[in-house]
């Protein structure tokens, strides 16, 4: 029976026709097969949930567990899954304890206080991008010049990680978020290298603490006993990777979305409320990834009329939920004036709702405002259909985004 089930299963993630389109399979699955069996990159069988209401229910259901994903007998998403002891592999109350240690760094009030510095970092990168463009006169890869270094600079400053090391942890990070882009032995090697790097950084913070978040976590570990050493390193890795990978991807795809519209960056409004609404629509239509992190059921769970047994792998397809016509008018259309609030699930739902959502929203709004102010005539330098997406990663990220301006 297991072999028959595996034979029927579709590959996950489903293929996409282009960088601009969510995989076409999701529309059919929402209509005909809202829970379907898929073959995960690890080779294990899982269940893909595609309708908005069902995705939201899975994300909030305590029986759909993150912690169960690290059990030896549990199905795995990839050959090198996330380690135990981190925010991605814990459930309440342990998850609540760890989340509380860092949540103050990401509150809307703390992020509001950071906005001037975030804007300063964006402005510095825009200056460098303009100077480089004048020097060579050719198209500029927005990904390399802005979309990658901007979120990296922000998270490095927040955590206290040297920005000069960004290319090193970029390589390590890409391997950690790999689905099929890297072989298992390479994924493991890069993850170990990243943890070793963070271990050295933690030791340096112990010798000379600063005003950064990583120094604060070291204090919690050493003086308050609130973290084990493994939890400290896993937390640092999670914050570093999640703090830039997702924003890098959605910033690139958001600018790409705007540049495909007739008004291009003129769509970025001056009004803060209108800008916030535009950010929400860009988050809805530009998925961070195809699905949320893997969950494994700890008891039988009924989803869309189908009972999933205990120890079933479940992926809540957020990118599909955000295109559900039962929840959104013209779900596949980009509407920069879509009424707010937009009830998208880009940041998840329930106890694992993205801790960094306020920071990500601020980064996107500030980046779009800076780009629109500095480069109002920015346009695509290549046909839109030639822009491609990286494949085999947990996150959606364009390979290159060549742009030009007058």
């Amino acid at each position: 029976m297991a072999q028959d089930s595996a034979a029927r299963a579709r590959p996950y993630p489903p293929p996409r026709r282009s960088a601009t389109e969510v995989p076409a399979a999701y529309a059919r699955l929402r209509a005909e097969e809202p829970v379907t069996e898929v073959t995960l990159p690890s080779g294990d069988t899982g269940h893909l949930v595609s309708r908005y209401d069902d995705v939201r229910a899975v994300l909030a259901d305590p029986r759909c567990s993150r912690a169960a994903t690290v059990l030896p007998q549990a199905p795995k998403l990839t050959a090198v899954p996330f380690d135990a002891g981190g925010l991605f592999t814990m459930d309440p109350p342990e998850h609540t304890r760890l989340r509380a240690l860092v949540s103050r760094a990401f509150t809307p009030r703390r992020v509001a206080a950071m906005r001037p510095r975030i804007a300063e970092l964006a402005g510095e990168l825009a200056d460098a991008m303009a100077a480089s463009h004048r020097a060579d006169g050719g198209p500029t890869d927005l990904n390399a010049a802005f979309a990658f270094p901007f979120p990296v600079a922000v998270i490095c400053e927040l955590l206290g990680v040297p920005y000069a090391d960004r290319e090193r942890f970029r390589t390590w990070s890409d391997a950690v978020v790999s689905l099929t882009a890297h072989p298992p032995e390479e994924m493991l090697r890069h993850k170990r290298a990243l943890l070793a790097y963070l271990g050295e950084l933690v030791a340096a913070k112990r010798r000379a603490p600063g005003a950064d978040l990583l120094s604060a976590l070291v204090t919690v570990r050493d003086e308050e006993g609130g973290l084990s050493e493994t939890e400290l390193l896993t937390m640092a890795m999670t914050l570093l990777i999640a703090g830039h990978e997702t924003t890098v991807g959605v910033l690139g795809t958001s600018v790409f979305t705007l540049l495909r519209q007739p008004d291009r960056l003129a769509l970025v409004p001056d009004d803060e409320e209108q800008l916030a609404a535009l950010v929400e629509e860009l988050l809805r239509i530009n998925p961070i990834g195809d699905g949320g992190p893997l969950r494994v059921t700890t008891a039988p769970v009924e989803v869309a009329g189908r009972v999933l047994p205990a120890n079933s792998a479940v992926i809540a397809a957020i990118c599909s939920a955000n295109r559900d016509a039962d929840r959104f008018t013209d779900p596949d259309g980009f509407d920069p004036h879509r009424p707010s609030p937009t009830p998208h699930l880009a940041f998840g739902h329930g106890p694992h709702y993205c801790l960094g959502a306020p920071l990500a929203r601020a980064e996107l709004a500030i980046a779009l405002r800076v780009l629109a102010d500095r480069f109002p005539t920015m346009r695509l330098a290549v046909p839109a259909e030639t822009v491609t997406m990286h494949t085999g990663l947990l996150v959606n990220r364009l390979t290159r985004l060549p742009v030009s301006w007058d």
Side-chain angles (χ1 to χ4, degrees):
M1 179 66 72
Q3 289 180 340
D4 291 344
S5 175
R8 292 196 308 271
R10 299 171 175 82
Y12 175 83
R16 61 174 64 234
R17 288 180 297 204
S18 75
T20 66
E21 298 173 277
V22 166
Y26 286 120
R28 189 189 62 75
L29 291 175
R30 286 194 302 270
E32 302 173 9
E33 202 174 349
V35 181
T36 190
E37 290 185 353
V38 292
T39 300
L40 303 172
S42 65
D44 291 337
T45 297
H47 299 83
L48 184 65
V49 180
S50 53
R51 289 178 181 167
Y52 182 96
D53 288 342
D54 299 327
V55 166
R56 196 171 187 272
V58 165
L59 295 175
D61 194 325
R63 297 169 298 175
C64 296
S65 165
R66 293 265 195 95
T69 62
V70 301
L71 298 176
Q73 71 275 16
K76 308 299 181 192
L77 177 61
T78 68
V80 183
F82 289 116
D83 294 323
L87 290 172
F88 283 160
T89 54
M90 281 186 170
D91 296 329
E94 291 81 6
H95 174 266
T96 308
R97 173 181 64 85
L98 276 193
R99 187 180 174 106
L101 296 176
V102 295
S103 60
R104 285 173 293 183
F106 298 97
T107 62
R109 177 178 293 182
R110 175 69 185 274
V111 170
M114 293 170 60
R115 288 180 75 97
R117 178 55 181 155
I118 296 173
E120 185 178 4
L121 291 169
E124 291 170 358
L125 287 167
D127 289 343
M129 192 165 77
S132 175
H133 191 71
R134 285 194 300 268
D136 61 31
T140 295
D141 179 7
L142 187 79
N143 266 13
F146 193 93
F148 170 71
F150 172 56
V152 169
V154 173
I155 198 64
C156 282
E157 193 155 304
L158 179 64
L159 282 177
V161 174
Y163 179 66
D165 291 337
R166 62 192 180 279
E167 290 301 332
R168 297 176 67 194
F169 63 71
R170 180 183 197 173
T171 300
W172 299 329
S173 176
D174 278 0
V176 172
V177 299
S178 173
L179 288 172
T180 58
H182 296 75
E185 61 276 10
E186 190 174 289
M187 293 171 63
L188 190 57
R189 176 167 57 84
H190 284 307
K191 182 163 73 172
R192 287 171 175 166
L194 176 54
L195 287 170
Y197 169 84
L198 291 171
E200 293 173 0
L201 192 57
V202 163
K205 300 294 182 185
R206 285 194 169 106
R207 292 190 298 269
D212 52 79
L213 181 54
L214 189 53
S215 293
L217 291 175
V218 171
T219 299
V220 169
R221 156 72 177 142
D222 295 349
E223 298 181 12
E224 302 173 21
L227 283 169
S228 70
E229 192 72 9
T230 297
E231 287 174 339
L232 171 60
L233 292 176
T234 304
M235 173 75 81
M237 180 172 68
T238 301
L239 293 173
L240 180 60
I241 293 176
H244 81 274
E245 282 280 2
T246 53
T247 309
V248 169
V250 78
L251 176 53
T253 54
S254 292
V255 174
F256 185 41
T257 295
L258 293 173
L259 294 183
R260 299 198 318 274
Q261 312 306 313
D263 293 332
R264 302 199 299 264
L265 293 188
L267 288 171
V268 179
D270 293 323
D271 180 81
E272 289 297 322
E273 287 190 10
Q274 293 175 10
L275 178 55
L278 173 65
V279 165
E280 297 307 310
E281 175 68 349
L282 289 168
L283 285 164
R284 182 192 73 83
I285 206 163
N286 290 295
I288 292 168
D290 280 284
L294 187 72
R295 287 163 166 79
V296 170
T297 57
T298 57
V301 176
E302 183 175 341
V303 182
R306 179 172 176 177
V307 177
L308 306 182
N311 202 43
S312 296
V314 184
I315 291 180
I318 289 171
C319 69
S320 175
N322 284 344
R323 301 292 186 102
D324 193 333
D326 288 340
R327 200 69 177 90
F328 302 99
T329 302
D330 186 21
D332 293 320
F334 168 61
D335 181 1
H337 307 294
R338 189 177 292 273
S340 187
T342 306
H344 64 74
L345 300 174
F347 293 119
H349 175 67
H352 288 280
Y353 182 83
C354 178
L355 183 69
L359 179 60
R361 285 184 164 108
E363 288 181 81
L364 283 170
I366 289 168
L368 294 175
R369 179 74 271 143
V370 167
L371 291 173
D373 286 345
R374 292 295 305 277
F375 311 108
T377 61
M378 183 181 287
R379 58 190 178 274
L380 289 173
V382 296
E385 61 270 19
T386 67
V387 175
T388 58
M389 189 84 74
H390 280 283
T391 58
L393 298 177
L394 277 167
V395 293
N396 290 335
R397 192 172 72 230
L398 301 177
T399 53
R400 295 176 68 249
L401 185 56
V403 298
S404 192
W405 58 87
D406 300 326

